[in-house]
Amino acid sequence: MSAAVLLSGISLTATANPSTAEVNTTGLAVTDNTVKVGILHSITGTMAISEEGSVQAEILAIEQINAMGGVLGRQIEYVQEDGASDWPTFADRANKLLRQDKVAAVFGCWTSASRKAVLPIFERNNGMLYYPTFYEGLEQSPNVIYTGQEATQQILAGLDWVSEDKGAKTFYLIGSDYIWPRTSNKIARTHIEQHLGGQVVGEDYFPLGHTSFNSVINRIRLRKPDVIFASVVGGSNVAFYRQLKAAGLDMTKEDFTLLTISVTEDEILGIGGDNIEGAYASMKYFQSLPNENNQAFVEAFKARWGADAVIGDVTQAAYLGPWLWKAAVEKAGSFDVDRVREASPGIELTTAPEGYVRIHENHHLWSKTRIGHAQRDGQFKVVYETEELMEPDPFPAGYQ
Amino acid sequence: MFSDFSAAELTAIFAMQGFAGLILFAVFVLMALGLAIIFGQMGVINMAHGEFMILGAYVTYMTSNLFANHFPELFGSYFLFAIVLAFFAAALLGVIVEWGLIRFLYHRPLDTLLATWGLSLILQQAYRSIFGAREVGVVIPDWLMGSYQLTDMIEVPINGLFVMALAVLATVTVAVLMYRSRWGKQVRAVVQNRDMAGAVGINTARVDRLTFALGCGIAGVAGSAFTMIGSTGPSSGQLYIVDTFLVVVFGGAGSLFGTVASAFSISQSQSIMEFFMGGSMAKVLTLLVVVIILMFRPQGLFSLKVRR
């Protein structure tokens, strides 16, 4: 039903706009013609590199929705704030957006640290946050819709595939040293040891920004694992893949399989397609997905932000935010956060670039997990996808 | 922790880790050399050192694009041009900065910290405006890829060897300049007693400017070399600045030999520990040891004897 609402956005504008008093009983920034939302990402500091794509996707979605007639007949205006890669700044800006600007929803945050910093503010002021990044799980808030995958969705299907398709038995886990890789590897280890009958032959963490991976490469040479399971983040990736290739561990020869959960098309810009060719990534979205929704999305994105723009998993998840919010508002017939929240579970998007998504009771999305094979041109070729949508499970029993 | 490995494996491990340590050593030397010259010789704490390095990296990126688009047949050799261009670009920026900012602050060393920190923020934003916020990658010519097989178990990455050669070249050049040239003698005189050096006819302003330019130029070379290892983004320079200061302070600011010795000891211990304990633990232990040694020897491993 909600998909029908979404697709018929144009016909909706023909109906008379419901009165503002009716759709906004809580003093949000809604007028007869406009509704204000917030975009809260880092556009300066170290995270700007990653969050730039999310900002672009959110602005694109808002512009497209406005061109279709807006939400409940109201044009969306956005207030953009800069979190500056600094978690207290994120909290401060969130406060400003909710209390001063009275925005109806906020699209934003990228790192778990920034999300944790704004969480109490959204709960205290009863705001609504659409959070786009794949993350470690272990969280659920009535005030957040998580549009990226949580850890089990991303990891379990990926490991199942590598175990079945490549017959992998031994695994080497390597990650950057903070909560997301450590939690992810914990889930991976449990799954490998208890469900796949495999063995973890090494587990290593490096500080953020580390650029010297010769030691771990030497260990990998000695242990000869079937699979390197990588969750190295940010600029470290460049060093990691370059040194891997320079050391003669060639992923195109299939002596071993490298499965990453942290490299998207965005990171490949820095790594270079020739350095990561042959690696596999477990994500829900790749820019190369051949479906019609995605072709339209990629075209629109490039038309808006330049032909050189690339779209990674998180960018697509950020794009879903405004659309999911619009669908929920229209289902609720109100901008009130309580009513939008009640309307959210079960909302589905048949127009999502990743194909189709649906909001679960636990505020995460049902989604497919796909395995992409990195190509020399910096794109992924999808070699496998789960048949069914995977149920989000932020608190996986037996994996903690 | 040794029991997991056979004797042959252990030999190979130590050999390979020793080599990995040497590569890290070369990286440290390249990073720290420019900073040591500026900090040690001029007393200027250059917080923008990382940004000078990144300038070298961006110059390399632009050179590689230029060659790929206009001289594809010469692409294999673009790196050599890039290094030279990176040196001169960073040195030129260094001259401008010294002239416009640093020369007013020679008697206020703590203010140089603040001023160059501000400069680093400005440069970061300038890179972001010019090159965009995303990281860019440089295509490495084929002859720098792959590794050189020493024995069955021991392999040495070629780009590591190249960085090592570059570090040796830079160190030797600086040492010769500092201890064998007329200019080096003037620099050392200015360091020991600025007023007296001026009184005997040394143009201290010119010496300062050239020293600062040389330090920045070496940072540019380091940035150029890093494109083979790391990524280039507007704030990548920040990643290296802590390690760089660590090396310089531990070695004893002002001593070229101290910088090299400190880079060697930090890189070797880091590399060996990394193999047995993992990356994060090794880093913590290295820092801890450095802090403890500095508690007993605050002037660093080696320091100039200056009459005060």
Side-chain angles (χ1 to χ4, degrees):
Chain A
M1 172 254 162
S2 46
V5 169
L6 182 75
L7 289 170
S8 60
I10 296 162
S11 64
L12 253 178
T13 59
T15 62
N17 294 348
S19 78
T20 304
E22 193 183 313
V23 297
N24 174 25
T25 63
T26 54
L28 297 168
V30 179
T31 70
D32 290 344
N33 302 312
T34 62
V35 52
K36 233 183 234 176
V37 299
I39 290 180
L40 177 57
H41 283 287
S42 303
I43 51 171
T44 57
T46 178
M47 292 311 299
I49 294 160
S50 303
E51 297 189 52
E52 188 188 359
S54 304
V55 174
Q56 292 175 335
E58 284 154 5
I59 291 176
L60 175 66
I62 288 170
E63 287 173 353
Q64 287 178 331
I65 292 170
N66 280 342
M68 288 170 63
V71 181
L72 291 182
R74 279 141 181 102
Q75 291 285 300
I76 305 173
E77 289 179 349
Y78 63 85
V79 184
Q80 190 180 346
E81 291 293 344
D82 180 11
S85 311
D86 176 54
W87 327 138
T89 306
F90 265 97
D92 179 59
R93 301 289 89 184
N95 236 326
K96 185 237 169 200
L97 284 171
L98 293 176
R99 288 174 180 227
Q100 193 180 320
D101 298 323
K102 302 277 181 201
V103 296
V106 176
F107 308 100
C109 297
W110 207 96
T111 62
S112 289
S114 66
R115 187 189 68 251
K116 297 275 188 204
V118 304
L119 198 59
I121 290 154
F122 275 87
E123 292 184 348
R124 203 178 309 136
N125 296 291
N126 198 24
M128 202 67 180
L129 173 69
Y130 288 78
Y131 173 70
T133 320
F134 47 76
Y135 84 117
E136 65 276 2
L138 307 179
E139 191 183 293
Q140 183 179 330
S141 164
N143 296 83
V144 183
I145 301 284
Y146 304 83
T147 65
Q149 291 183 304
E150 47 76 37
T152 64
Q153 286 176 308
Q154 200 183 6
I155 293 167
L156 302 190
L159 289 175
D160 286 346
W161 171 79
V162 83
S163 156
E164 205 157 296
D165 200 87
K166 304 276 173 192
K169 285 285 164 225
T170 52
F171 295 77
Y172 201 107
L173 316 179
I174 169 169
S176 292
D177 201 354
Y178 73 107
I179 177 170
W180 177 69
R182 281 192 182 263
T183 314
S184 300
N185 282 347
K186 206 166 160 189
I187 290 171
R189 182 185 272 271
T190 309
H191 195 65
I192 290 163
E193 287 172 349
Q194 294 179 9
H195 298 268
L196 300 178
Q199 191 193 354
V200 175
V201 295
E203 185 171 345
D204 248 324
Y205 297 96
F206 290 88
L208 286 172
H210 196 76
T211 50
S212 161
F213 290 93
N214 288 310
S215 306
V216 72
I217 288 168
N218 288 339
R219 286 168 76 124
I220 287 169
R221 268 221 199 91
L222 282 175
R223 298 271 167 80
K224 297 188 174 57
D226 298 334
V227 176
I228 301 174
F229 183 72
S231 49
V232 177
V233 303
S236 286
N237 273 310
V238 181
F240 180 55
Y241 290 99
R242 289 216 159 145
Q243 286 164 19
L244 211 55
K245 181 162 187 212
L249 289 167
D250 193 344
M251 292 179 282
T252 53
K253 285 192 202 135
E254 306 252 322
D255 297 337
F256 66 100
T257 305
L258 189 138
L259 182 66
T260 171
I261 54 172
S262 59
V263 174
T264 72
E265 289 85 341
D266 285 297
E267 279 79 16
I268 295 184
L269 279 185
I271 296 168
D274 48 337
N275 291 312
I276 198 168
E277 186 185 10
Y280 293 89
S282 175
M283 308 258 156
K284 66 172 178 168
Y285 173 84
F286 296 103
Q287 190 184 324
S288 64
L289 284 186
N291 71 64
E292 272 174 36
N293 291 345
N294 186 45
Q295 276 157 9
F297 170 56
V298 173
E299 232 165 73
F301 196 91
K302 285 182 180 273
R304 178 69 177 80
W305 300 110
D308 294 337
V310 296
I311 306 163
D313 182 272
V314 183
T315 304
Q316 192 262 165
Y319 179 74
L320 300 179
W323 288 103
L324 288 168
W325 173 71
K326 170 186 152 74
V329 168
E330 286 173 351
K331 184 177 165 195
S334 167
F335 290 103
D336 291 350
V337 171
D338 287 332
R339 298 186 57 190
V340 169
R341 170 171 44 242
E342 272 166 42
S344 282
I347 291 280
E348 55 177 10
L349 278 188
T350 51
T351 52
E354 65 175 275
Y356 167 94
V357 293
R358 188 165 79 237
I359 302 181
H360 191 278
E361 296 288 332
N362 63 25
H363 278 198
H364 294 69
L365 299 185
W366 292 79
S367 66
K368 288 194 171 185
T369 296
R370 301 178 165 90
I371 305 294
H373 193 197
Q375 308 290 305
R376 206 178 172 81
D377 63 0
Q379 292 292 318
F380 287 98
K381 200 173 105 194
V382 178
V383 293
Y384 167 82
E385 65 176 44
T386 51
E387 274 171 38
E388 305 290 326
L389 293 173
M390 290 192 73
E391 183 173 3
D393 184 10
F395 298 96
Y399 280 96
Q400 290 166 41
Chain B
M1 67 188 182
F2 296 109
S3 54
D4 301 352
F5 305 98
S6 70
E9 279 176 343
L10 275 178
T11 321
I13 288 168
F14 277 103
M16 282 196 296
Q17 287 309 111
F19 232 94
L22 277 182
I23 294 169
L24 191 62
F25 162 65
V27 169
F28 278 163
V29 167
L30 275 180
M31 288 193 309
L33 210 51
L35 192 72
I37 294 170
I38 294 170
F39 184 33
Q41 313 297 324
M42 306 167 70
V44 172
I45 304 165
N46 185 13
M47 295 294 284
H49 190 71
E51 279 61 44
F52 281 99
M53 280 168 39
I54 295 310
L55 177 67
Y58 275 123
V59 168
T60 309
Y61 167 70
M62 288 191 293
T63 314
S64 103
N65 282 352
L66 183 79
F67 273 68
N69 292 334
H70 298 287
F71 318 102
E73 67 281 3
L74 290 174
F75 189 75
S77 59
Y78 87 84
F79 216 87
L80 304 174
F81 291 95
I83 290 172
V84 176
L85 283 175
F87 176 86
F88 283 109
L92 183 68
L93 184 65
V95 170
I96 295 168
V97 166
E98 203 274 348
W99 173 79
L101 185 71
I102 306 290
R103 67 186 168 124
F104 304 110
L105 302 170
Y106 280 126
H107 299 288
R108 298 145 65 187
L110 276 180
D111 293 356
T112 62
L113 185 110
L114 208 55
T116 52
W117 183 56
L119 177 69
S120 84
L121 294 180
I122 293 169
L123 286 177
Q124 280 179 36
Q125 191 53 48
Y127 298 151
R128 193 168 290 123
S129 307
I130 298 169
F131 300 102
R134 286 169 200 259
E135 309 199 355
V136 295
V138 171
V139 180
I140 312 293
D142 287 336
W143 61 274
L144 281 170
M145 296 304 289
S147 55
Y148 183 68
Q149 188 105 25
L150 278 178
T151 71
D152 279 355
M153 278 181 168
I154 305 173
E155 284 182 54
V156 191
I158 289 171
N159 61 13
L161 290 174
F162 184 77
V163 174
M164 263 192 252
L166 204 59
V168 170
L169 187 70
T171 315
V172 170
T173 311
V174 170
V176 169
L177 277 176
M178 215 48 109
Y179 297 103
R180 288 282 176 273
S181 77
R182 185 179 162 78
W183 170 78
K185 205 175 275 175
Q186 293 182 342
V187 170
R188 284 179 290 140
V190 172
V191 171
Q192 299 217 349
N193 192 327
R194 178 174 295 268
D195 296 335
M196 189 57 82
V200 297
I202 294 173
N203 185 345
T204 58
R206 205 175 66 103
V207 168
D208 284 337
R209 193 154 305 158
L210 282 178
T211 313
F212 197 80
L214 178 69
C216 292
I218 293 172
V221 172
S224 187
F226 281 161
T227 55
M228 287 191 297
I229 298 167
S231 62
T232 308
S235 44
S236 307
Q238 299 291 309
L239 292 176
Y240 303 111
I241 199 76
V242 176
D243 282 337
T244 313
F245 269 106
L246 188 74
V247 169
V248 171
V249 172
F250 185 57
S255 159
L256 201 60
F257 179 67
T259 304
V260 174
S262 127
F264 185 78
S265 45
I266 292 179
S267 60
Q268 284 299 339
S269 50
Q270 166 93 19
S271 173
I272 300 286
M273 283 195 289
E274 218 169 74
F275 190 89
F276 295 103
M277 285 177 256
S280 286
M281 200 61 197
K283 190 128 197 170
V284 170
L285 277 179
T286 310
L287 260 175
L288 207 65
V289 171
V290 168
V291 166
I292 290 170
I293 293 180
L294 283 179
M295 274 165 69
F296 292 102
R297 244 192 104 76
Q299 70 274 41
L301 286 182
F302 302 89
S303 57
L304 275 187
K305 289 188 182 63
V306 182
R307 197 172 294 157
R308 298 195 189 271

